Amino acid sequence: MKSLFLRRFSVAIAAIAAVLAAPAMAQLSVDVTGEIDSNLKVAVPALPAQQDVATPAGTASELGRKIAEVIVSDLKGSGLFDPSGPGGMPAIAFPEVTNPVYDKWGAYQALVQGFVRTAGGDADITVGCYLYDVALKQELTRQGYVVSPRDWRRAAHKCADAIYARLSGESPFFDSRIAYIAESGPKGNRVKRLAIMDSDGANHRFITNGQSMALTPRFSPDYKSIVYVSYLGSRVRIYIYDIGAGQQKLVSESNNPAFAPRWSPDGRNILFSMAVAGNTDVYRVSASGGTPVRLTTSPGIDVGGSYSPDGSQIVFESDRSGGQQLYVMNADGSNQRRISHGGGRYATPEWSPRGDLIAFTKLSGDFKIAVMSPNGDNERTLTNGWQDEQPTWSPNGRVLQFFRTTPGKQGSSQVWQVDLTGVNERRIPTPLAGSDPAWGPLLP
């Protein structure tokens, strides 16, 4: 069997050569760089139920099948795995979960087994999740989750996260949510509503009713709130929506155009852009409201703003040099310097949660999603759509979501996803057209 080895994104060529020389029976791992074809074949049979009782989300056996289906979907969507199941898979008896019959799974490299246990009704469900190396006949990891029946999908995402983390060496990202703008109506008169969903598009719900236009949402670092811009007539408001309470509070209101609010990493401040007397600058305001502080003062248009993970720096876009370029400044507005120097224009920057990259929209003929180092080096284009824009990072800094607009009079937009290899690309299903995605951190 040809072994597969983990090579982290920043590993040097010499270290890669050393890994490739490792013994042939090393434990399974996947290559996240895309330099080798490492899609592991993973079997995911339905999770058996200890007792097949009814819950509000279906019987325990039905939940076991649905959990396996979500695990397969998550792993497949990452682009790193070739999962199969649960349809067409042999049934697993409950005792087999911790004692696999490896001879059943010789066509696969990895095996995911688990169980569902509940007393039925509204009682919590316990989901067990086990990952095995088929060739070595070894257990690689096990996890257990206790959730309410309606949260069974979270248990599935957590199981997929455990598998992804064990085999890739990367942090997980499946158990997270997306805020975005749901769009409907003709191109010249779009209704734009704030909506949230799981990272795979499930559990979708609308937050606003569309009476006012909602734009550019972002989750707070603690996941409890969403900041967004609301336009109603000539009034521009920045709101913080409390997800648990279903209520919102006003942070800032003005007749001046304001846009692109972003949280500071500690959740205390909101960064946003505002146009005053023909000049657009980056401002900071307390999350509890108050008088905004102006951070940029150069003539022209300074837009956006995204904090570095440690909160010490801010990346933003500016046309002060004659065209849209990326700049970095200290959090207090000092030491502003340009970091982009390639051809074309640069827009909508967002700092990776790892701190190692900045994602942005590259405007050079078409719109594309690209990344660069914080000092402006190592620029790489990841997508090749007609109009791809507004990247947002997964919690682990390995994947980006963005929205893609199709050519034509209607110009419908959809939420898409791509990883840092630029190869693994897919559309995230939404009930309506979608724009301005914002990926939240891992759910607590």
Side-chain angles (χ1 to χ4, degrees):
M1 179 188 73
K2 182 179 179 181
S3 299
L4 298 168
F5 299 91
L6 169 65
R7 293 186 294 170
R8 292 184 181 275
F9 184 71
S10 60
V11 146
I13 293 176
I16 293 173
V19 171
L20 290 176
M25 292 302 290
Q27 285 187 342
L28 290 177
S29 56
V30 298
D31 171 54
V32 298
T33 68
E35 294 177 4
I36 60 175
D37 183 8
S38 60
N39 287 30
L40 286 178
K41 292 186 178 298
V42 184
V44 190
L47 281 59
Q50 186 179 40
Q51 183 181 2
D52 196 18
V53 294
T55 80
T59 67
S61 291
E62 289 171 343
L63 289 179
R65 175 183 52 79
K66 292 192 288 187
I67 289 170
E69 289 173 346
V70 172
I71 294 170
V72 168
S73 178
D74 282 348
L75 295 180
K76 188 175 184 65
S78 75
L80 299 177
F81 304 93
D82 181 16
S84 298
M89 289 280 169
I92 300 301
F94 196 85
E96 285 184 52
V97 173
T98 56
N99 188 26
V101 181
Y102 289 105
D103 290 344
K104 288 184 180 180
W105 312 107
Y108 301 93
Q109 294 158 288
L111 169 65
V112 177
Q113 294 192 155
F115 65 83
V116 177
R117 184 170 58 219
T118 178
D122 291 326
D124 285 345
I125 63 173
T126 300
V127 177
C129 177
Y130 298 77
L131 173 66
Y132 298 98
D133 184 321
V134 175
L136 295 184
K137 298 182 179 181
Q138 287 183 354
E139 178 186 306
L140 299 182
T141 190
R142 68 169 69 185
Q143 297 291 331
Y145 313 101
V146 179
V147 298
S148 68
R150 65 182 178 85
D151 285 334
W152 65 268
R153 292 187 67 93
R154 283 205 63 194
H157 289 316
K158 283 183 172 295
C159 182
D161 273 334
I163 297 162
Y164 174 90
R166 175 61 182 82
L167 293 176
S168 72
E170 300 287 339
S171 300
F173 69 95
F174 297 121
D175 188 30
S176 56
R177 290 190 180 134
I178 306 294
Y180 80 104
I181 301 302
E183 301 187 9
S184 58
K187 187 174 182 179
N189 189 27
R190 288 274 164 84
V191 176
K192 298 191 175 187
R193 289 185 281 176
L194 176 61
I196 60 174
M197 59 185 176
D198 291 353
S199 63
D200 60 354
N203 289 329
H204 185 281
R205 66 186 175 107
F206 296 106
I207 301 299
T208 59
N209 59 18
Q211 292 181 349
S212 62
M213 181 184 295
L215 296 171
T216 58
R218 282 298 184 273
F219 277 107
S220 61
D222 63 6
Y223 243 128
K224 294 180 179 179
S225 305
I226 298 173
V227 64
Y228 73 101
V229 171
S230 174
Y231 277 74
L232 183 59
S234 62
R235 303 301 292 173
V236 184
R237 299 176 175 92
I238 296 177
Y239 284 114
I240 293 178
Y241 177 82
D242 185 313
I243 298 172
Q247 299 175 344
Q248 61 186 20
K249 68 176 181 179
L250 183 66
V251 176
S252 177
E253 181 177 14
S254 174
N255 284 324
N256 297 311
F259 37 92
R262 300 289 184 267
W263 294 90
S264 62
D266 60 11
R268 295 179 180 178
N269 295 302
I270 303 293
L271 209 62
F272 69 100
S273 301
M274 184 165 61
V276 179
N279 202 69
T280 302
D281 286 294
V282 179
Y283 291 79
R284 182 187 68 235
V285 65
S286 170
S288 59
T291 302
V293 177
R294 185 179 176 186
L295 298 180
T296 62
T297 58
S298 295
I301 301 175
D302 295 339
V303 176
S306 171
Y307 282 96
S308 59
D310 63 4
S312 67
Q313 298 183 84
I314 295 168
V315 61
F316 64 101
E317 65 180 90
S318 175
D319 69 352
R320 64 184 66 179
S321 62
Q324 287 171 279
Q325 299 292 332
L326 300 188
Y327 289 75
V328 168
M329 62 182 171
N330 295 339
D332 62 1
S334 63
N335 192 24
Q336 298 179 21
R337 66 268 189 200
R338 177 174 164 178
I339 62 169
S340 60
H341 298 281
R345 294 174 292 148
Y346 298 74
T348 66
E350 183 167 299
W351 219 303
S352 165
R354 294 179 174 216
D356 60 337
L357 293 170
I358 291 171
F360 56 93
T361 304
K362 182 65 177 287
L363 293 75
S364 181
D366 296 334
F367 292 12
K368 298 176 174 62
I369 303 303
V371 295
M372 66 167 61
S373 300
N375 64 1
D377 293 341
N378 305 313
E379 181 177 324
R380 292 189 297 118
T381 300
L382 302 181
T383 70
N384 193 30
W386 175 70
Q387 190 169 317
D388 298 343
E389 53 189 312
Q390 199 79 42
T392 179
W393 288 97
S394 64
N396 69 351
R398 283 289 314 163
V399 183
L400 289 156
Q401 288 190 354
F402 58 96
F403 72 96
R404 171 172 291 171
T405 304
T406 56
K409 293 183 179 180
Q410 292 304 314
S412 178
S413 298
Q414 300 291 342
V415 178
W416 283 73
Q417 179 173 303
V418 68
D419 70 2
L420 286 178
T421 67
V423 174
N424 302 310
E425 192 178 281
R426 67 171 180 142
R427 188 174 75 84
I428 305 300
T430 55
L432 302 173
S435 63
D436 290 347
W439 210 324
L442 275 179
L443 284 163

